[in-house]
Amino acid sequence: MGYLRNAWYVGALSREVNEQPLGRVILDESLVFFRAADGSPVAVADRCPHRFVPLSLGKVKHGELECGYHGLRFGRDGICIANPHGNNAIPRGANLRHYPALERYGFIWIWTGDIERADESRMPVFPFLDSPDQFTAVHGYLPVAGNYQLVVDNLLDLSHVEFLHPMFSQAEGVAGHRTEFFQDGDVVVANRWKPNVPLQGLAGHMFWTSPSTRSDARSNMRWSAPGYLNFDLGATEVGATVEEGICLPNAHLVTPETEFKSHYFWSIARNRLLDDEAMSARLHDVVDRIFRTEDGPIIEAQQRSMGLTSDLMSLHPVTLDPDIPAMRARRILARRIEEEHQASGRKDLGRASAVA
Amino acid sequence: MGYLRNAWYVGALSREVNEQPLGRVILDESLVFFRAADGSPVAVADRCPHRFVPLSLGKVKHGELECGYHGLRFGRDGICIANPHGNNAIPRGANLRHYPALERYGFIWIWTGDIERADESRMPVFPFLDSPDQFTAVHGYLPVAGNYQLVVDNLLDLSHVEFLHPMFSQAEGVAGHRTEFFQDGDVVVANRWKPNVPLQGLAGHMFWTSPSTRSDARSNMRWSAPGYLNFDLGATEVGATVEEGICLPNAHLVTPETEFKSHYFWSIARNRLLDDEAMSARLHDVVDRIFRTEDGPIIEAQQRSMGLTSDLMSLHPVTLDPDIPAMRARRILARRIEEEHQASGRKDLGRASAVA
Amino acid sequence: MGYLRNAWYVGALSREVNEQPLGRVILDESLVFFRAADGSPVAVADRCPHRFVPLSLGKVKHGELECGYHGLRFGRDGICIANPHGNNAIPRGANLRHYPALERYGFIWIWTGDIERADESRMPVFPFLDSPDQFTAVHGYLPVAGNYQLVVDNLLDLSHVEFLHPMFSQAEGVAGHRTEFFQDGDVVVANRWKPNVPLQGLAGHMFWTSPSTRSDARSNMRWSAPGYLNFDLGATEVGATVEEGICLPNAHLVTPETEFKSHYFWSIARNRLLDDEAMSARLHDVVDRIFRTEDGPIIEAQQRSMGLTSDLMSLHPVTLDPDIPAMRARRILARRIEEEHQASGRKDLGRASAVA
């Protein structure tokens, strides 16, 4: 089916791109990330045009990327700017495909489509990752050996929590929830509202301080294409307003690596204990451990079990009620990809913008 | 060439199937084994029809198998019996292929062909694994990365013992044996009779107690399709009857995993030291070590060396006298598979009995 | 493109072939090396014609190779000379392809082409590996997961030293060199001459003893087909003759394993401290470490980055001045392979000489 190319994808955590170049495969292409002299992120093709060695094995010098084999040097636009050999002439065609890149919300984002269409207004918006007075956030990354839509399915159908995450399974079982699914344009929403339930989940277990033993809990997921999820997680005293309560808003950002592999980036913010670094470390470790030991392995087993396809629907799965949001998201994404193909009149839109 | 499908195959040791479900690939199909509430063994397809996650990653609850991702629950016939979501309706088609299974001789057996033809009378018979007053047996399992017929070849041609198993190589070399091969209907027999030889082998090294230093030894192998081997191993005082002597009868049961991988199950019984648990442990370890470090590696090297085929004969091997029994077994098996194809008028008989 | 078959290739270090047989894949064929009773090296196909088990898993007995599975025994010409089974008749066709082999310069060499054309005069000549009064040499081996021409490229273009080998990077950078490339018949020469430079490299760092801090240094590489490199490395007092100075002549011998893997053999001699075994050990470790941690990994990354081709030129690389010698070598080798194909009228010349 291909990928949606005219979109921003997270390529790396901000903290992953520092003194050393970082190589990563995104939408089947090998990229290298580094920082220009002013610290701004750069993403270019990870293959030197001279001997095809990955530039991620090279060095960053004064914001330029030097090949580790023979020393060709490239600038922030992927243009070769130094050849240490012979008469030092820059060889023709010694340039790298360049991907528009920007840094926001603690992530490095890249645009994989037509360079002329790269447009910051098409970035998803996560105010809680940009409001340090109100929220503190931790960030994480997990590679997953499964198609990215399987990761999206997992996030859009939280009915799995009861079965996959014993830490969060509830005494009342899945029956205690009010769930609500709807589609708003190309946005899919899956809300789970649990009024007046025993304390539970991250809010109830890690941040609750009042003597109450019951809360109004919510876990509301909101998807937009290609793989952005805005997760409103929280709990309040029974009957209180959301603003008064514990808010743990999450961003989940799923980037295809190949048809069968994904990059799963996440960030979880909190409106409590903003300066508590030990809590930040603990929260990172709890969330990371759940993904790494429970969601990741089951998605990878699912992909292996699906064999040589990444298209779940082609296998005619049995469908349950909580699958509706993910199925809508799949349909929207398929339409958006098809529209992109139609608009471009070509199958591989992305490569059209490669430096010639 | 395909597999003989209307047959009982060992899928697991009895002791492998307990509280947790056990996943295993057999005849190219993914199965999961568990126990019903009454303890009887169950084998069904290891893939949830909802999201295709292996059910072997789930849990057994009250003799039912619960998917570890979203909690669909299946009974002993592979029928979905609980859906915890929405209105709890059982979705149409949410059933698993079911394989007739039974427990005998310390193994779990499954029938891979037409369900209507599953017939206990077609089980092989190993009286020494069912006579606790006369025999104590130990059981073992080894996965082998080679076609199952290569494992059968190994067992039907014990002339390799002298070269592959230094522990059992004889002072007199291979020349001291009387060997006898014959075919009895679809049964192939390869007998090795070693009258009046120095003490040797498991009987001579581990169980001999008399002051004699010579014995009449025998190692008689009997094959039937698809991969059942009944191995009469023993030693007596020179000239004495078999019944008076040490009897170490073995069962070797080889099950195809895929064209290039096998499950090798074995059991060795003894008519000496029936209650000696230390001897049981030692005997298990000796036999397991020989298979694991000597037979297994050479069969796996043979398969790698054969490249992308599993059909030894297609490579036009040089043939020696001791190859005759294995070549007959291969011919019988090929005929039986061909007869099965003819009878069914279809290539893949097994799938015909899958739950629709 | 295939391989040049009528040539001597290094198959092993002399010290690798001792009591145990050694299996190795060369030019896509599985070979086993062992020593005949008189110590001379033997190379035959590493696959028993009986059950196709690798003979390298067997044993050498009295200079004969015995299969580890059923004991067929083979002599130095690959002829089966003993069958321990049945009537002991040697089965027809139970012979192994035999490769002419000889031992020279601390290596075992094999001839992969027409047996009738095997001719010692076509061996490359390395006098410094055969002059123990003047030189002491150490030898090494590294398997490389990349096409052998990529290894040759690496050696014929030492402009990479400045970037890949920080230990040897020079204060003056690549600009301080005089380089000279020329072709002499089918020999390619790439000379680097560095007059009056600060002490540097192995000669300057490990063997220099005079109080001078500058030297005339040289690193002159000479290639001939298929993958022989004679590397004249050394340093003298400024203005002195080569004979007076430190000479560290090297042989680099690259043998294809498969299209995507190589065997890289090397030897480095010295005309200093001939009897200093600690220096021999240290020199081996320094050179081995550089190849293992710097050249090997970058060549392997290059091969991975090239994907499913081994033909660098088919990817239209950007070319720099120092690439000229390697490009000439590639052209010469391609012509020689083409000539060999033309002469034989067949694509696969080597197999024509196999024992029938």
Side-chain angles (χ1 to χ4, degrees):
Chain A
M1 176 163 85
Y3 304 110
L4 191 68
R5 294 213 160 254
N6 282 316
W8 295 98
Y9 287 95
V10 174
L13 302 176
S14 283
R15 68 170 181 261
E16 289 183 295
V17 182
N18 39 47
E19 294 73 27
Q20 299 298 320
L22 173 74
R24 191 156 276 164
V25 172
I26 293 180
L27 277 63
D28 295 326
E29 295 171 11
S30 291
L31 276 70
V32 53
F33 294 88
F34 66 101
R35 289 188 185 276
D38 65 359
S40 59
V42 181
V44 294
D46 189 20
R47 196 167 98 150
C48 182
H50 172 225
R51 300 287 103 170
F52 307 112
V53 160
L55 291 160
S56 52
L57 298 180
K59 287 186 177 134
V60 181
K61 291 188 175 166
H62 316 296
E64 296 163 1
L65 183 60
E66 184 181 277
C67 181
Y69 202 2
H70 300 90
L72 286 188
R73 206 178 276 200
F74 301 88
R76 62 191 299 165
D77 297 320
I79 310 291
C80 180
I81 52 182
N83 166 16
H85 304 286
N87 64 1
N88 302 122
I90 305 294
R92 273 194 74 213
N95 299 327
L96 307 169
R97 176 171 173 186
H98 163 252
Y99 299 78
L102 56 83
E103 187 161 18
R104 192 169 298 170
Y105 305 134
F107 301 104
I108 309 292
W109 302 73
I110 56 158
W111 178 264
T112 54
D114 278 330
I115 285 188
E116 312 81 53
R117 297 199 191 178
D119 178 355
E120 293 197 22
S121 73
R122 296 174 72 166
M123 287 275 296
V125 177
F126 300 101
F128 54 88
L129 296 180
D130 206 17
S131 308
D133 292 346
Q134 291 173 268
F135 290 97
T136 293
V138 294
H139 294 72
Y141 166 63
L142 185 71
V144 179
N147 181 270
Y148 71 113
Q149 297 205 39
L150 301 181
V151 182
V152 171
D153 289 347
N154 170 281
L155 291 159
L156 263 176
D157 176 9
L158 293 179
S159 78
H160 76 261
V161 170
E162 179 69 21
F163 302 95
L164 187 59
H165 305 307
M167 176 179 169
F168 298 136
S169 60
Q170 314 303 333
E172 76 276 23
V174 291
H177 304 161
R178 283 196 242 145
T179 60
E180 181 188 39
F181 310 141
F182 63 89
Q183 185 174 338
D184 174 11
D186 277 1
V187 170
V188 173
V189 174
N191 289 341
R192 288 155 62 92
W193 174 247
K194 294 166 277 183
N196 195 359
V197 290
L199 293 180
Q200 55 189 244
L202 292 176
H205 292 322
M206 292 180 69
F207 293 96
W208 199 259
T209 53
S210 94
S212 330
T213 61
R214 299 184 75 80
S215 72
D216 288 347
R218 69 188 184 283
S219 55
N220 299 332
M221 194 68 84
R222 183 182 167 84
W223 170 91
S224 58
Y228 309 144
L229 292 129
N230 189 325
F231 186 32
D232 169 32
L233 180 68
T236 64
E237 298 285 347
V238 175
T241 65
V242 160
E243 289 69 25
E244 292 172 89
I246 296 164
C247 294
L248 302 172
N250 298 213
H252 300 265
L253 301 157
V254 193
T255 300
E257 176 174 347
T258 64
E259 183 179 354
F260 298 107
K261 291 186 180 178
S262 310
H263 302 292
Y264 175 30
F265 298 94
W266 57 269
S267 178
I268 178 165
R270 64 180 188 266
N271 67 347
R272 291 287 190 274
L273 303 172
L274 300 197
D275 299 321
D276 184 340
E277 291 186 10
M279 174 53 86
S280 290
R282 196 177 146 218
L283 191 57
H284 177 277
D285 290 352
V286 166
V287 176
D288 176 72
R289 179 181 302 260
I290 291 168
F291 292 147
R292 199 172 294 273
T293 65
E294 297 175 351
D295 295 285
I298 207 116
I299 293 167
E300 296 183 344
Q302 180 186 17
Q303 179 67 73
R304 284 195 300 275
S305 183
M306 286 170 57
L308 293 178
T309 183
S310 62
D311 182 3
L312 185 82
M313 303 315 289
S314 72
L315 298 173
H316 306 295
V318 161
T319 299
L320 308 181
D321 277 10
D323 297 324
I324 295 168
M327 287 173 66
R328 293 218 177 160
R330 284 174 173 269
R331 233 173 288 142
I332 293 165
L333 182 61
R335 174 178 52 73
R336 293 276 298 273
I337 292 172
E338 182 55 29
E339 287 168 0
E340 192 171 275
H341 285 175
Q342 299 283 344
S344 74
R346 278 165 280 121
K347 276 291 169 195
D348 192 353
L349 190 78
R351 295 193 184 278
S353 63
V355 171
Chain B
M1 176 163 84
Y3 304 110
L4 191 68
R5 294 212 159 255
N6 282 316
W8 294 99
Y9 287 95
V10 174
L13 301 177
S14 285
R15 67 169 181 261
E16 290 184 293
V17 183
N18 38 49
E19 293 73 26
Q20 299 298 320
L22 172 75
R24 192 155 274 165
V25 173
I26 293 180
L27 278 63
D28 295 326
E29 295 172 11
S30 291
L31 275 71
V32 53
F33 294 88
F34 66 101
R35 289 189 185 275
D38 65 0
S40 58
V42 181
V44 293
D46 189 19
R47 198 168 98 148
C48 182
H50 172 225
R51 301 286 103 171
F52 308 113
V53 160
L55 291 160
S56 51
L57 298 180
K59 287 187 178 134
V60 182
K61 291 188 174 167
H62 315 297
E64 296 163 2
L65 183 60
E66 183 182 278
C67 181
Y69 202 1
H70 300 91
L72 286 188
R73 206 178 275 200
F74 301 88
R76 61 192 300 166
D77 296 320
I79 309 290
C80 181
I81 51 180
N83 167 15
H85 303 287
N87 64 1
N88 303 124
I90 305 295
R92 273 193 75 213
N95 299 327
L96 307 169
R97 177 174 172 181
H98 163 253
Y99 299 78
L102 55 83
E103 187 161 18
R104 191 169 298 169
Y105 305 134
F107 301 105
I108 310 292
W109 303 72
I110 55 157
W111 177 264
T112 55
D114 278 331
I115 286 187
E116 313 81 52
R117 297 198 190 180
D119 177 355
E120 293 198 21
S121 73
R122 295 173 72 166
M123 287 275 296
V125 177
F126 299 102
F128 53 87
L129 297 180
D130 206 17
S131 309
D133 291 346
Q134 291 174 268
F135 291 97
T136 292
V138 293
H139 294 72
Y141 166 63
L142 185 72
V144 180
N147 181 271
Y148 71 112
Q149 297 205 40
L150 301 181
V151 183
V152 171
D153 289 347
N154 170 281
L155 292 159
L156 264 176
D157 175 9
L158 294 179
S159 77
H160 75 261
V161 169
E162 179 70 22
F163 302 95
L164 187 59
H165 305 308
M167 176 180 170
F168 298 136
S169 59
Q170 314 302 333
E172 76 276 24
V174 291
H177 305 163
R178 282 196 243 145
T179 59
E180 182 190 38
F181 311 141
F182 63 88
Q183 185 175 339
D184 175 11
D186 277 0
V187 170
V188 173
V189 174
N191 289 341
R192 289 156 61 91
W193 174 247
K194 295 166 276 183
N196 195 359
V197 290
L199 294 180
Q200 57 189 243
L202 292 176
H205 293 321
M206 292 180 68
F207 293 95
W208 198 258
T209 52
S210 94
S212 329
T213 60
R214 300 183 74 82
S215 72
D216 288 346
R218 68 187 185 283
S219 54
N220 298 332
M221 193 69 83
R222 183 183 168 84
W223 171 91
S224 58
Y228 309 143
L229 292 128
N230 189 325
F231 185 32
D232 168 30
L233 181 68
T236 64
E237 298 284 346
V238 175
T241 66
V242 161
E243 288 69 26
E244 293 172 273
I246 296 165
C247 293
L248 302 172
N250 297 213
H252 300 265
L253 301 158
V254 193
T255 299
E257 176 174 347
T258 64
E259 184 179 354
F260 298 107
K261 291 186 180 179
S262 310
H263 302 292
Y264 175 30
F265 298 95
W266 57 270
S267 178
I268 178 164
R270 64 181 189 267
N271 67 346
R272 291 287 190 277
L273 304 172
L274 300 198
D275 299 320
D276 183 339
E277 291 186 12
M279 175 53 87
S280 290
R282 194 175 149 220
L283 190 58
H284 176 277
D285 290 352
V286 165
V287 176
D288 176 70
R289 178 180 302 261
I290 291 168
F291 291 148
R292 198 171 295 273
T293 66
E294 297 175 352
D295 296 283
I298 207 115
I299 292 167
E300 295 183 343
Q302 180 186 17
Q303 181 66 73
R304 284 195 300 275
S305 184
M306 286 169 58
L308 295 177
T309 183
S310 63
D311 181 2
L312 184 83
M313 303 315 287
S314 72
L315 299 173
H316 306 294
V318 161
T319 300
L320 307 181
D321 277 11
D323 298 324
I324 294 168
M327 287 174 66
R328 293 217 177 161
R330 284 174 172 269
R331 232 172 288 142
I332 292 165
L333 182 61
R335 175 177 51 72
R336 293 277 296 273
I337 292 173
E338 182 55 30
E339 287 170 1
E340 191 171 274
H341 286 176
Q342 299 282 345
S344 74
R346 279 166 279 123
K347 277 291 168 196
D348 192 355
L349 190 79
R351 295 193 184 278
S353 62
V355 170
Chain C
M1 176 162 86
Y3 305 110
L4 192 68
R5 294 210 161 256
N6 282 317
W8 294 99
Y9 288 95
V10 175
L13 301 177
S14 284
R15 68 171 181 260
E16 290 184 293
V17 183
N18 38 49
E19 292 73 26
Q20 298 299 320
L22 172 75
R24 191 156 274 165
V25 172
I26 293 180
L27 279 63
D28 296 326
E29 296 170 11
S30 291
L31 275 71
V32 54
F33 295 88
F34 66 101
R35 289 189 184 276
D38 64 0
S40 58
V42 180
V44 293
D46 189 19
R47 197 167 99 150
C48 182
H50 171 225
R51 300 286 104 171
F52 308 114
V53 159
L55 291 160
S56 51
L57 298 180
K59 288 188 178 134
V60 181
K61 291 187 175 168
H62 316 296
E64 297 163 2
L65 183 59
E66 184 181 278
C67 181
Y69 202 2
H70 300 91
L72 285 189
R73 205 178 277 201
F74 301 88
R76 61 191 299 165
D77 297 319
I79 309 291
C80 180
I81 51 180
N83 166 17
H85 304 287
N87 63 1
N88 303 123
I90 305 294
R92 272 193 75 213
N95 298 327
L96 306 169
R97 176 172 173 184
H98 163 253
Y99 298 79
L102 56 82
E103 187 161 19
R104 191 169 298 170
Y105 305 133
F107 301 105
I108 310 292
W109 302 73
I110 56 158
W111 178 263
T112 55
D114 278 330
I115 286 187
E116 313 81 52
R117 296 198 193 181
D119 176 356
E120 294 198 22
S121 73
R122 296 173 71 165
M123 287 276 296
V125 178
F126 300 102
F128 53 87
L129 296 180
D130 206 19
S131 309
D133 292 345
Q134 291 173 270
F135 290 96
T136 293
V138 294
H139 294 72
Y141 166 62
L142 185 71
V144 180
N147 181 270
Y148 72 113
Q149 297 204 39
L150 301 182
V151 183
V152 170
D153 290 346
N154 170 282
L155 292 159
L156 263 176
D157 176 9
L158 294 179
S159 78
H160 75 260
V161 170
E162 180 70 20
F163 302 96
L164 187 59
H165 305 308
M167 176 178 170
F168 297 136
S169 60
Q170 313 303 332
E172 75 276 21
V174 290
H177 305 162
R178 282 195 243 146
T179 60
E180 180 188 40
F181 310 140
F182 62 90
Q183 185 175 340
D184 175 10
D186 277 0
V187 170
V188 173
V189 175
N191 289 340
R192 288 154 62 92
W193 174 248
K194 293 166 276 183
N196 195 1
V197 290
L199 294 180
Q200 55 189 245
L202 293 176
H205 293 319
M206 293 181 67
F207 293 96
W208 199 259
T209 53
S210 94
S212 328
T213 60
R214 300 184 74 82
S215 72
D216 289 346
R218 67 187 185 283
S219 55
N220 299 332
M221 194 69 84
R222 183 183 168 84
W223 171 91
S224 57
Y228 309 143
L229 292 129
N230 188 324
F231 186 31
D232 169 31
L233 180 69
T236 65
E237 297 284 347
V238 175
T241 65
V242 160
E243 288 71 24
E244 293 171 272
I246 297 164
C247 293
L248 302 172
N250 298 212
H252 301 265
L253 301 158
V254 193
T255 300
E257 176 174 346
T258 64
E259 184 179 353
F260 297 107
K261 291 185 179 179
S262 310
H263 301 292
Y264 175 31
F265 298 96
W266 57 269
S267 178
I268 178 165
R270 64 181 188 267
N271 67 347
R272 292 286 190 275
L273 304 172
L274 300 198
D275 300 321
D276 184 341
E277 292 186 11
M279 174 54 85
S280 289
R282 195 175 146 218
L283 191 57
H284 176 277
D285 290 352
V286 166
V287 176
D288 176 72
R289 178 181 302 261
I290 291 168
F291 291 147
R292 198 171 295 273
T293 65
E294 298 175 350
D295 295 285
I298 206 115
I299 292 167
E300 296 183 343
Q302 180 186 17
Q303 181 66 73
R304 284 194 300 275
S305 182
M306 286 169 57
L308 294 178
T309 183
S310 62
D311 181 2
L312 185 82
M313 305 314 288
S314 73
L315 299 173
H316 307 294
V318 161
T319 299
L320 308 181
D321 277 12
D323 297 324
I324 295 169
M327 288 173 65
R328 292 217 177 162
R330 283 174 174 269
R331 233 173 287 142
I332 293 165
L333 182 60
R335 175 178 51 73
R336 293 277 297 273
I337 292 172
E338 182 55 29
E339 287 169 0
E340 192 171 275
H341 287 175
Q342 298 283 345
S344 74
R346 279 165 281 121
K347 277 291 168 195
D348 192 352
L349 191 78
R351 296 193 183 277
S353 62
V355 171

